[in-house]
């Protein structure tokens, strides 16, 4: 072997020969892989292994490729003296490894051809073998576009479902179609797939396919997708597109008309919506009607265009009745109808009566009764003028009437089955009678020449007139069914002596009450006298007690019962006088103190 070098291929050849039990072979042998696969743009490496008997050396190694005319075009000529690269289209993309393997960089689809390795070994003649370079390009994920115009189930021709497109693949792939996960197969006059293959300038292929298939109403839920299939390293692979749905046109089979909210809960004043729904696609044209006697009134102008919705605002009793929705399919001009009954619940004719209806006096009794009309069951409730619930049921008994009895009662009528449906009616209960004075400012402690307010408060119906026996500035106001009068006057000597009279009257009678005015000055003098008398009485009692105690200590007063009677009898008159004085004085003083305290309290109130 020239240069004393053993080509790597020789060693590989020996290994191969040993494995094949060919140690005794006397023939030059060249071994190469049958196929080498490489993706476009990558580098392909093709090995050439050979065996020369008796450890002989090769004379040369030639690399060739086979062109389209089946001619072998040399790429390299390798000898011990050097490597010669021929001027070919591969120049600049070829390289040799230490084992004389051929590498091709930036592989293109045009490189998909056969490459030959030829080994010459002098007397051992020439041997060669070949490798087929298989170039591939994984296609891009297929793109799918469904029919954008929609498909009618009544179409006379087999319609186009969708198109599928896969770009930049090598070698050319093939496309399959799937519906709901199952592959579709061509069927004569039913399912067809039309495919188109385009070779781009790059040598890569773009493949497209169009699916034609009949559709039914059930296909509105179907999903279609396509898949592109290719081979890689001896295995079949696939890339799938996204799933798409196709807009299917089909006539209406069922029509439904609804009342929102539920017809059972509609009441006067509500806003009601009639919703008409059809299961056709596209939705049909809707029309609305209301039955009036034997004719149908067209309400379509009131409906929302192309929506199947009719809004009724602030409905009342007259809105009740039968409504109709009519659909028209423009595809085949078929019509369908659906009716619904609208019941507007109401309460009307609320009446409240009083028994007896004659004039009421204090102490009388009266029965209030309430009645109303409605298509549903009603409940009755009574409330007073302050809104407080006082009774339930359509009858309410008021007994022992007084002026203080509420003047106004209301009957609240409700429908438990229809929330929010209610009506109310008020009634007045007037209890008549002559005035009754309930409060006056008497006695009133005053000082002469000061300005004071005299108050008189009464209750009566009809409303009474309040009059005063003296002149002054009067102010009247109502206080919870009571009439009150304040009279502002200056206290004179005559007013102190005579007081004032409050007179309240209406057509049924008169009530009068006297207001006493007490002079605070004289009251203070009386209080001084009373205080002095009390002090004197206390001193007399203290002195008397001391005398008795002294006599007892001196033994002048025996301790026995009989002796006590004898000794005390002569003093009985004196004791009696003391006791009577004490008793009278105390009762008088107590009365005076009470009066004095009252005067002080009244003065304080002033």
């Amino acid at each position: 072997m020239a240069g004393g070098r053993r080509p790597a291929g020789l060693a590989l050849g020996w290994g191969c020969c040993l494995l094949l039990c060919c140690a005794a072979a006397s023939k030059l042998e060249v071994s190469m892989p049958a196929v080498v696969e490489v993706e476009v743009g990558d580098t392909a490496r093709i090995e050439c292994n050979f065996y020369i008997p008796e450890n002989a050396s090769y004379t040369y190694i030639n690399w060739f490729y086979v062109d389209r005319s089946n001619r072998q075009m040399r790429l390299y000529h390798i000898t011990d003296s050097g490597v010669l690269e021929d001027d070919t289209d591969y120049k600049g993309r070829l390289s040799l490894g230490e084992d004389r393997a051929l590498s091709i960089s930036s592989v293109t689809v045009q490189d998909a051809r056969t490459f030959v390795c030829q080994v010459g070994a002098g007397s051992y003649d020439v041997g060669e073998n070949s490798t087929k370079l298989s170039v591939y390009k994984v296609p891009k994920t297929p793109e799918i576009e469904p029919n954008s115009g929609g498909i009618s189930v009544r179409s006379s021709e087999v319609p186009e479902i969708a198109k599928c497109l896969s770009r930049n693949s090598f070698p050319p792939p093939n496309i399959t179609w799937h519906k709901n996960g199952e592959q579709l197969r061509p069927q004569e006059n039913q399912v067809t797939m039309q495919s188109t293959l385009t070779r781009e300038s790059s040598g890569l292929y773009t493949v497209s396919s169009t699916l034609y298939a009949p559709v039914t109403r059930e296909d509105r839920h179907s999903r279609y997708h396509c898949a592109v299939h290719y081979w890689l390293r001896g295995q079949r692979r696939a890339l799938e597109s996204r799933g798409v749905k196709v807009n299917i046109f089909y006539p209406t089979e069922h029509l439904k008309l609804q009342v929102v909210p539920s017809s059972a809960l509609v009441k006067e004043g509500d806003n009601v919506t009639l919703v008409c729904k059809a299961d056709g696609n596209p939705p049909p044209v809707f029309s609305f009607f209301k039955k009036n006697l034997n004719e149908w009134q067209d309400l379509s102008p009131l409906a929302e265009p192309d929506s199947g919705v009719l809004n009724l605002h602030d409905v009342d009793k007259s809105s009740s009745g039968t409504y109709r929705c009519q659909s028209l399919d423009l595809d085949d001009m078929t019509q369908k109808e659906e009716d619904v009954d609208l019941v507007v619940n109401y309460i009307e004719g609320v009446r409240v009566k009083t028994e007896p209806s004659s004039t009421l006096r204090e102490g009388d009794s009266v029965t209030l009764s309430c009645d109303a009309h409605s298509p549903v069951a009603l409940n009755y409730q009574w409330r007073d003028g302050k809104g407080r619930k006082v009774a339930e049921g359509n009858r309410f008994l008021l007994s022992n009437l007084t002026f203080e009895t509420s003047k106004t009662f209301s009957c609240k009528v409700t429908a438990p089955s229809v929330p929010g449906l209610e009506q109310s009616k008020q009634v007045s209960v007037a209890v008549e009678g002559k005035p009754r004075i309930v409060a006056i400012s008497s006695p009133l402690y005053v000082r002469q020449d000061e300005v004071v307010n005299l108050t008189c408060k009464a209750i009566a119906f009809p409303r009474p007139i309040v009059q005063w026996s003296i002149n002054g500035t009067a102010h009247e106001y109502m206080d919870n069914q009571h009439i009150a009068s304040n009279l502002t006057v200056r206290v004179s000597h005559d007013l102190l002596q005579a007081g004032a009279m409050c007179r309240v009257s209406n057509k049924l009678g008169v009530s009068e009450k006297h207001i006493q005015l007490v002079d605070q000055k004289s009251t203070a003098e009386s209080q001084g006298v009373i205080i002095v008398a009390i002090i004197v009485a206390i001193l007399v009692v203290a002195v008397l007690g001391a005398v008795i105690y002294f006599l007892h200590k001196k033994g002048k007063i025996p301790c026995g019962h009989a002796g006590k009677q004898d000794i005390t009898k002569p003093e009985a008159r004196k004791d009696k006088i003391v006791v009577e004085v004490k008793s009278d004085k105390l009762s008088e003083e107590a009365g005076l103190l009470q009066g004095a305290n009252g005067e002080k309290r009244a003065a304080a109130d002033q």
Side-chain angles (χ1 to χ4, degrees), residues 259-271:
V259 177
V260 181
S262 170
S263 181
L265 301 177
V266 175
K267 62 182 181 298
E268 283 191 316
D270 283 350
N271 294 327

Side-chain angles (χ1 to χ4, degrees), residues 538-552 578:
I538 291 172
L539 291 174
V540 171
V541 173
V543 170
L544 180 61
V547 171
I548 294 173
Y549 178 76
F550 178 78
L551 293 175
H552 175 72
V578 172

